[in-house]
Amino acid sequence: MTVFKTKENGTLKKTVFVVALVALGSAALAHGGVRNEDVLARMEVMKAIGDQMKIIGAMAKGEAAFDAVAANDALTKIAAQSAQIEPSFETRADDPKSEALPAIWQDWEDFVQLASATETTAEGLIGTVSAQVDLGPALGKLGGTCKACHSKYRK
Ligand code: HEC
């Protein structure tokens, strides 16, 4: 039992670490000095998604009290914000502060598919979180979809 628990905690820690990397990134610095409004708008969409991930991540790490309603609410918001990825990136916009790679508009169909993967994954997870142990796997699944896009299309 103890062994199982240790293993589970280890996996959770790893997952939370990965999610922290994905969610935090360089977001704290990214917005300063952005001039292009479309770029700013799409960064806000991403930041909103990242903020919800942090809410879930804090509960997963035990930094915040577990709250199933709040966790499922965060998943609902992630799903809704993810639906905004496609429209907010559709028109190509550039800014020196942007971390978006030009490949987005060269491989637009692929980008759109990755965006919808985040949306459907978040949607599928809504209502599945009923205990703190559900958070790690949920974050792992969702974080994987963020990473799939960031690794290809974000500097
Ligand atoms: C379909 C692609 C795609 C998916 C899916 C995606 N992102 Fe992003 N994300 C981007 C791109 C591109 C940028 C860089 C935008 C820019 O700087 O113009 C970005 C930037 C960010 C930023 C920095 C925003 C800022 O303040 O500048 C955060 C935080 C972020 N993403 C979190 C997430 C999280 C968390 C997920 C998953 C739940 C996710 N993203 C899913 C493409 C994606």
Side-chain angles (χ1 to χ4, degrees):
M1 188 60 192
T2 312
V3 173
F4 174 68
K5 246 190 163 173
T6 308
K7 201 178 151 215
E8 192 179 60
N9 285 344
T11 310
L12 178 61
K13 261 187 200 154
K14 207 176 127 205
T15 307
V16 170
F17 177 68
V18 169
V19 168
L21 283 183
V22 171
L24 300 176
S26 49
L29 305 167
H31 288 181
V34 175
R35 298 222 175 123
N36 185 292
E37 278 183 18
D38 291 341
V39 171
L40 198 58
R42 75 193 182 204
M43 283 175 165
E44 292 297 342
V45 168
M46 281 298 156
K47 192 180 173 297
I49 295 173
D51 287 347
Q52 299 306 314
M53 287 292 268
K54 281 188 229 168
I55 290 174
I56 302 174
M59 284 185 216
K61 283 188 275 185
E63 287 172 8
F66 175 72
D67 178 341
V69 173
N72 287 300
D73 178 58
L75 288 167
T76 305
K77 286 180 181 153
I78 292 170
Q81 288 295 325
S82 300
Q84 296 306 309
I85 298 176
E86 180 180 349
S88 71
F89 277 88
E90 197 160 19
T91 304
R92 181 171 176 166
D94 297 302
D95 190 284
K97 298 275 181 183
S98 173
E99 295 172 339
L101 292 172
I104 292 170
W105 298 279
Q106 281 148 24
D107 304 325
W108 180 246
E109 289 308 316
D110 181 53
F111 183 84
V112 167
Q113 252 180 9
L114 291 169
S116 92
T118 297
E119 186 188 348
T120 51
T121 301
E123 217 148 57
L125 288 167
I126 298 167
T128 67
V129 173
S130 57
Q132 207 228 8
V133 291
D134 298 331
L135 294 173
L139 282 174
K141 258 196 201 165
L142 204 49
T145 71
C146 316
K147 200 168 166 251
C149 186
H150 289 174
S151 62
K152 269 186 170 171
Y153 298 113
R154 184 184 177 194
K155 281 179 202 165

